[in-house]
Amino acid sequence: GESVGLHLPTLSVQEGDNSIINCAYSNSASDYFIWYKQESGKGPQFIIDIRSNMDKRQGQRVTVLLNKTVKHLSLQIAATQPGDSAVYFCAETYGNNRLAFGKGNQVVVIP
Amino acid sequence: ETGVTQSPTHLIKTRGQQVTLRCSSQSGHNTVSWYQQALGQGPQFIFQYYREEENGRGNFPPRFSGLQFPNYSSELNVNALELDDSALYLCASSRPREEAEAFFGQGTRLTVV
């Protein structure tokens, strides 16, 4: 399938290592943030979300950190696996029922 | 699999033509949103439909229009196609009052030549 990751920042990570993907959001009024994973030829897949009244949330192998002071969001993936290779997008909403996506980061897992 | 299905998966149209893309939402989801994703970019919000009415619109011209049906499925129509309309068009459905927990379909790849 064709790549969705052309000209995107790329993170190359060794299998088994931890990955950190960063995102700067624009609207200080945003109250809900989501990380999506998009594999080539597929639609975005929900990974984890966090509300603005939290600063950390953990899922299975993933952790999202939110720093509202500097409007920064990060996604940490523990023990990265080959199936984690994809483009990762952060998205924000601010009460108007629409998702505003960031530019995306390509993650390449090296076996 | 998210349960959101889109058709067709790929199509090629000529500049100036019209196109209709279709989306079936996940069971129990009455809100459908459409996004345009250019190659190498993040999805951009086009509009959202809730209970068969438009419920918010992004920065897209009026030649982008939509419909939602009583079974919550939806259509995206684009008139007078331009070369820059070439993109992946994504449909996302969500449950009532949880609009941001959106589940995406696999998209329709539109190429305008």
Side-chain angles (χ1 to χ4, degrees), chain B residues 67-83:
Chain B
L67 284 173
Q68 187 178 32
F69 300 98
N71 67 353
Y72 305 136
S73 65
S74 179
E75 288 182 353
L76 165 65
N77 300 291
V78 187
N79 294 322
L81 283 166
E82 301 176 359
L83 297 180

Side-chain angles (χ1 to χ4, degrees), chain A residues 42-71:
Chain A
K42 297 185 179 180
Q45 176 188 357
F46 175 93
I47 301 174
I48 191 169
D49 58 1
I50 188 168
R51 298 200 178 272
S52 59
N53 60 353
M54 303 170 69
D55 53 22
K56 181 179 180 179
R57 190 164 187 225
Q58 287 185 289
Q60 187 177 15
R61 279 202 310 119
V62 294
T63 300
V64 55
L65 300 177
L66 174 63
N67 184 331
K68 293 182 289 294
T69 302
V70 296
K71 293 190 285 186

Side-chain angles (χ1 to χ4, degrees), chain B residues 29-87:
Chain B
H29 290 190
N30 65 359
T31 302
V32 173
S33 303
W34 285 91
Y35 292 81
Q36 180 195 66
Q37 186 176 25
L39 203 59
Q41 303 292 321
Q44 298 294 312
F45 177 77
I46 303 175
F47 44 55
Q48 183 183 86
Y49 278 82
Y50 171 66
R51 292 185 175 179
E52 304 177 54
E53 293 194 358
E54 189 177 289
N55 181 42
R57 188 179 183 92
N59 188 26
F60 280 82
R63 60 190 185 85
F64 286 76
S65 63
L67 284 173
Q68 187 178 32
F69 300 98
N71 67 353
Y72 305 136
S73 65
S74 179
E75 288 182 353
L76 165 65
N77 300 291
V78 187
N79 294 322
L81 283 166
E82 301 176 359
L83 297 180
D84 286 349
D85 295 333
S86 297

Side-chain angles (χ1 to χ4, degrees), chain A residues 8 32 36 38 43 97-99, chain B residues 35 37 48 55 57 100 102 105:
Chain A
L8 292 174
Y32 184 64
Y36 283 92
Q38 188 173 25
N97 305 329
R98 65 186 67 177
L99 293 168
Chain B
Y35 292 81
Q37 186 176 25
Q48 183 183 86
N55 181 42
R57 188 179 183 92

